[in-house]
Amino acid sequence: MSSSDTVSGSVPERGRGLLWRLGAWCARRPVLVLVGWLLVLAGVQVANHAVGGGYSDDFSLPGSQAQDGADVLAAHEPAIGGTSAQVVLHDGQPLTQFQSQVDQAVTSLQHLPHVLSAQDPLPPPGQAPQPGGPLSADGLTAYVTVRFDGVLATFGDDYLDQVDAAVAPLRQAGVQVEYGGPLGELARPAPSDRVSELIGFGVAVVVLLLGFGSVIAAGLPLVSALLAVVVGLGLLGLLAALTTFATVAPTLATMIGLGVGIDYALFLLTRHRQGLIDGADPVAAAGHAVATSGRAVLISGCTVVIALAGLSVSGISFMAKLGLAAGVTVVTAVCGALTLLPALLGLIGRRMDRFTVRPPVAEGGGETEGGEATGLWHRYARRVEHRPWRYLAVGLVTVLVLAVPLPSIQLGHIGDGADPTSFTDRRAFDLMSAAFGPGSNGPLTAVVDQTAVPAADRPALASAVQQALTGVPDAVSNVPPLQTSSDGDVLFTTVTPAQAPQDQRTTDLVGHLVEEVLPGAVAGTAAATYVTGTTAAQVDFLDLVASRLLLIIAVVVALAFLIILLVFRAPLVALKAAVLNLVSIAASYGVLVAVFQWGWGGPALGVSGKVPIESYVPMMMFAIVFGLSMDYEVFLLSRVHERWRRTGDSRGAVAHALETTARVIGCAALIMVSVFAAFIVSDNVVIKMMGLGLAVSVLIDATVVRLLMVPSAMTLLGPAAWWTPRWMDRLLPDLDAEGLKNG
């Protein structure tokens, strides 16, 4: 059967599969499909603008000790519950000279909506400042602790304007005013990914032009992916009106949506173009592309979504919502590839190569002689076929060397001290660190619930707790005296760490207070103890993420194994895919540790000093990368399986698939790497970390794993790669990943 017969064939359209008919229908009615997409785009954007929600970081964990402590405080002393933030004041002369302006600002803050309390940092006239209080020893720096009754991002777009108006008298008097904590996050410049998107798109255009030669062919994947991502972001905004997503959610969704959207469109476009070269008409070529490569796209997209859904196993809503956010744009990217791109291909028809910058190529892209490929990728494929052990060893050594830093990974939370100095929360962090010590940016609140303690025993209990909190390692020595709630049932005080919030010693301090110091102080009584505050909540979040990471890895690997098993009905192929993906992800983790935690290049990326790996980044990366790696896995293995089923030559099938797909996988990976790497220019350190991690992961997966280790491993396995036990063969469905039955 010739290639042309394979594409156009003699089977009537009604006898084709659903995907073939979908692709042909969209190519035959391009205007209708395009208008439909534009209407959906307009409707989603209008609705998002009208009722869409905002984004905010919320590390609260219901049932955690930090959240329980916050709930106890809120129930017994509402004025010190809720969410706290700092308004930091600094001037070159003592702030007591601005007593009236400070009093006016504090009073105005107290009267703002959602404010539970605002603490005046200045002592009454004639009194000396209290040691360890909110006024520095030199009197030049102070902070107002403002407590809010909810998440600041939900208070409305004009809330920051109201805060600015409240502190305006201080700024008019020349006092420097900066915002720390959640208030500082609210005051950050609105994140804009346009620069990153333009960089990624620019590199994608260059890669597509050089790889495929045609201006139109280079533009179609970009248009399809961009439109699908914009629709997905609009849908995400509507979902944000129903629940709170993290501030990184839209950037993450953009990053993943653009990457997979361009990849999926490229896979389909390449197959379609080969169909045109083989003589099929545009409608039949589009139908065949959707029925074959489109089927692989659908399976890959489902794999990515399932991997992201696996984050919900963590039981952490923060993580589950990040997975949902990325999943939304993956779904729209798949829809765009299966409907919008065929419509664009039908609209272009045979004019795809009208404007070229080099001779157009399709799948193999190599030179031919006597009907046989003789190009670069053909020669490379034959070398892998003849020396599989050598190429497998080179790939394995490469990823193991990159993974060397992994055992020293330190999970934590990246504090404001790593942000650019253009952010007000970074300036507040620096002022607080200089005047009160770095730990002042993450104070801890020790809480003792003595409701069940008899009144006669409470004075002794308070004395024991105060004594236990004095001289705790890694905390400042001057712990303020315990305060009692208005109803007398709760004791509380502030414990200031000696180190910055993201320091490992601060994390250890929280654990020491929670597990040893406070329980030891109340031993023998009915009192309950807690350590709460933003830093304590972040430590609880870190502990929970660390405890669930192995579970997430196990679930995602199991899901990926099952999907590959269902698609190819070959347990050895599925096992090989799972193992090699684990190895490649370990290598990308090692690169992150070296760059950010060890500081090997962090300053060059705009990161101030060495920082820990953000607690949720490894879990998020694992789900995303494991899902994305299935793109190339399914695409390559589909061609191997397709050729093997037709010829029965396992070694030749691997070489043929490699020379056929290497150009497409290489270009697709380079585009995805450029899209992810472009987000390194973001001011958000977590986005930098995610961008670099995903870029390195895709680069390793598409080069070392997909071009070295997979072909060599498949060659070594030989026919055994496609072996299926009889009992399993009877149980597994035939998904026809290559679309051979109706493509």
Side-chain angles (χ1 to χ4, degrees):
M1 180 179 292
S2 69
S3 298
S4 180
D5 293 335
T6 302
V7 176
S8 54
S10 58
V11 180
E13 184 168 336
R14 63 178 179 273
R16 302 284 188 175
L18 177 61
L19 287 178
W20 196 100
R21 297 197 301 271
L22 174 64
W25 188 89
C26 292
R28 190 178 295 114
R29 298 171 178 82
V31 175
L32 180 62
V33 176
L34 290 174
V35 169
W37 268 92
L38 292 176
L39 288 176
V40 170
L41 173 64
V44 168
Q45 292 301 316
V46 169
N48 183 35
H49 182 74
V51 299
Y55 303 92
S56 174
D57 291 329
D58 181 10
F59 288 91
S60 64
L61 295 172
S64 66
Q65 68 86 30
Q67 186 60 48
D68 290 344
D71 293 341
V72 168
L73 273 181
H76 293 269
E77 193 68 30
I80 62 170
T83 302
S84 66
Q86 296 78 38
V87 177
V88 184
L89 316 177
H90 178 75
D91 196 81
Q93 52 186 326
L95 290 172
T96 51
Q97 298 186 17
F98 304 95
Q99 181 83 52
S100 62
Q101 291 92 340
V102 172
D103 292 343
Q104 183 180 353
V106 171
T107 301
S108 298
L109 288 170
Q110 291 171 342
H111 288 89
L112 287 180
H114 304 291
V115 170
L116 299 173
S117 64
Q119 177 191 21
D120 193 325
L122 301 184
Q127 292 188 14
Q130 179 183 357
L135 180 64
S136 63
D138 59 11
L140 303 181
T141 306
Y143 60 91
V144 181
T145 299
V146 187
R147 298 185 180 274
F148 302 90
D149 62 7
V151 179
L152 274 71
T154 64
F155 293 168
D157 295 337
D158 65 338
Y159 195 76
L160 185 62
D161 296 335
Q162 299 180 52
V163 177
D164 288 336
V167 300
L170 285 166
R171 287 187 168 133
Q172 291 170 0
V175 176
Q176 181 182 356
V177 181
E178 307 293 350
Y179 302 141
L183 192 57
E185 294 178 4
L186 186 66
R188 289 180 179 181
S192 175
D193 304 324
R194 291 181 180 176
V195 173
S196 298
E197 292 166 3
L198 289 174
I199 293 174
F201 262 70
V203 175
V205 170
V206 173
V207 171
L208 289 170
L209 285 175
L210 294 178
F212 298 96
S214 167
V215 174
I216 295 177
L220 292 181
L222 301 178
V223 172
S224 173
L226 180 59
L227 188 56
V229 167
V230 173
V231 170
L233 290 176
L235 293 174
L236 179 60
L238 295 177
L239 288 175
L242 304 176
T243 185
T244 302
F245 286 90
T247 53
V248 301
T251 301
L252 181 64
T254 301
M255 194 186 304
I256 304 305
L258 281 179
V260 301
I262 295 174
D263 266 15
Y264 294 161
L266 187 56
F267 293 159
L268 282 161
L269 175 66
T270 306
R271 195 80 174 224
H272 173 83
R273 194 181 203 184
Q274 187 65 53
L276 294 180
I277 293 174
D278 292 338
D281 67 86
V283 171
H288 179 68
V290 174
T292 51
S293 293
R295 191 178 301 268
V297 163
L298 185 60
I299 292 171
S300 297
C302 290
T303 306
V304 176
V305 171
I306 290 173
L308 292 170
L311 291 170
S312 61
V313 178
S314 67
I316 306 172
S317 61
F318 179 90
M319 296 299 304
K321 290 176 184 177
L322 282 179
L324 174 60
V328 168
T329 50
V330 172
V331 171
T332 56
V334 171
C335 293
L338 298 181
T339 60
L340 178 59
L341 183 67
L344 293 172
L345 294 174
L347 189 65
I348 297 299
R350 294 189 177 277
R351 299 185 296 274
M352 182 181 298
D353 296 326
R354 174 169 293 182
F355 306 104
T356 60
V357 295
R358 52 159 291 176
V361 294
E363 289 184 334
E367 299 82 4
T368 61
E369 182 178 303
E372 291 295 326
T374 59
L376 172 65
W377 289 114
H378 172 82
R379 295 192 296 272
Y380 173 76
R382 294 304 174 187
R383 290 194 187 98
V384 175
E385 180 183 357
H386 293 139
R387 298 178 180 85
W389 281 111
R390 177 184 300 179
Y391 285 89
L392 181 62
V394 170
L396 188 59
V397 169
T398 301
V399 294
L400 289 179
V401 169
L402 292 175
V404 166
L406 176 58
S408 64
I409 188 171
Q410 174 196 336
L411 300 181
H413 176 66
I414 299 175
D416 297 335
D419 288 328
T421 54
S422 59
F423 286 10
T424 182
D425 50 353
R426 166 62 189 276
R427 296 193 295 270
F429 182 95
D430 291 342
L431 289 174
M432 293 284 289
S433 298
F436 305 100
S440 63
N441 290 286
L444 307 170
T445 302
V447 180
V448 179
D449 185 355
Q450 56 180 359
T451 304
V453 178
D457 297 336
R458 291 184 177 184
L461 175 64
S463 177
V465 172
Q466 187 73 53
Q467 183 177 359
L469 291 175
T470 302
V472 175
D474 293 320
V476 297
S477 57
N478 55 336
V479 178
L482 286 167
Q483 300 180 56
T484 306
S485 62
S486 54
D487 60 8
D489 288 338
V490 173
L491 302 173
F492 58 92
T493 190
T494 299
V495 179
T496 303
Q499 308 300 326
Q502 68 270 24
D503 194 282
Q504 180 62 41
R505 284 173 289 183
T506 300
T507 301
D508 295 339
L509 170 63
V510 174
H512 184 48
L513 291 172
V514 171
E515 298 171 6
E516 300 176 23
V517 175
L518 290 175
V522 303
T525 73
T529 61
Y530 312 92
V531 177
T532 188
T534 301
T535 301
Q538 290 167 351
V539 171
D540 284 351
F541 181 84
L542 167 63
D543 291 341
L544 185 57
V545 167
S547 67
R548 304 287 173 84
L549 181 57
L550 291 179
L551 175 62
I552 291 295
I553 290 175
V555 169
V556 173
V557 169
L559 289 173
F561 174 85
L562 289 175
I563 290 172
I564 295 296
L565 182 62
L566 288 171
V567 172
F568 297 106
R569 306 167 63 85
L572 290 180
V573 168
L575 180 62
K576 179 269 311 170
V579 171
L580 292 187
N581 285 338
L582 280 174
V583 172
S584 68
I585 291 173
S588 62
Y589 283 175
V591 173
L592 280 189
V593 171
V595 171
F596 291 96
Q597 189 177 313
W598 292 1
W600 292 8
L605 301 180
V607 180
S608 299
K610 301 175 182 179
V611 297
I613 305 303
E614 182 67 41
S615 56
Y616 61 85
V617 165
M619 186 183 292
M620 198 72 206
M621 266 185 60
F622 185 84
I624 293 172
V625 172
F626 214 92
L628 292 179
S629 66
M630 290 298 105
D631 289 354
Y632 305 134
E633 186 78 17
V634 171
F635 191 62
L636 176 59
L637 290 181
S638 294
R639 292 309 181 86
V640 176
H641 198 208
E642 176 183 346
R643 185 75 170 189
W644 178 76
R645 289 172 66 175
R646 287 177 175 171
T647 66
D649 178 9
S650 59
R651 295 173 69 93
V654 174
H656 172 79
L658 182 58
E659 68 190 59
T660 300
T661 62
R663 178 186 297 273
V664 182
I665 289 179
C667 289
L670 187 54
I671 290 170
M672 192 176 284
V673 168
S674 68
V675 169
F676 291 155
F679 284 87
I680 295 175
V681 303
S682 170
D683 288 332
N684 188 310
V685 180
V686 177
I687 294 298
K688 290 179 184 290
M689 193 174 288
M690 288 290 293
L692 179 65
L694 291 174
V696 170
S697 298
V698 172
L699 183 62
I700 294 172
D701 188 82
T703 55
V704 179
V705 174
R706 217 57 54 196
L707 298 180
L708 284 175
M709 302 176 74
V710 170
S712 54
M714 291 295 295
T715 299
L716 290 170
L717 286 173
W722 307 110
W723 166 79
T724 309
R726 290 184 179 179
W727 63 267
M728 186 180 293
D729 187 59
R730 291 192 297 268
L731 293 176
L732 294 175
D734 188 357
L735 299 182
D736 187 26
E738 302 83 36
L740 295 179
K741 295 181 178 179
N742 48 33

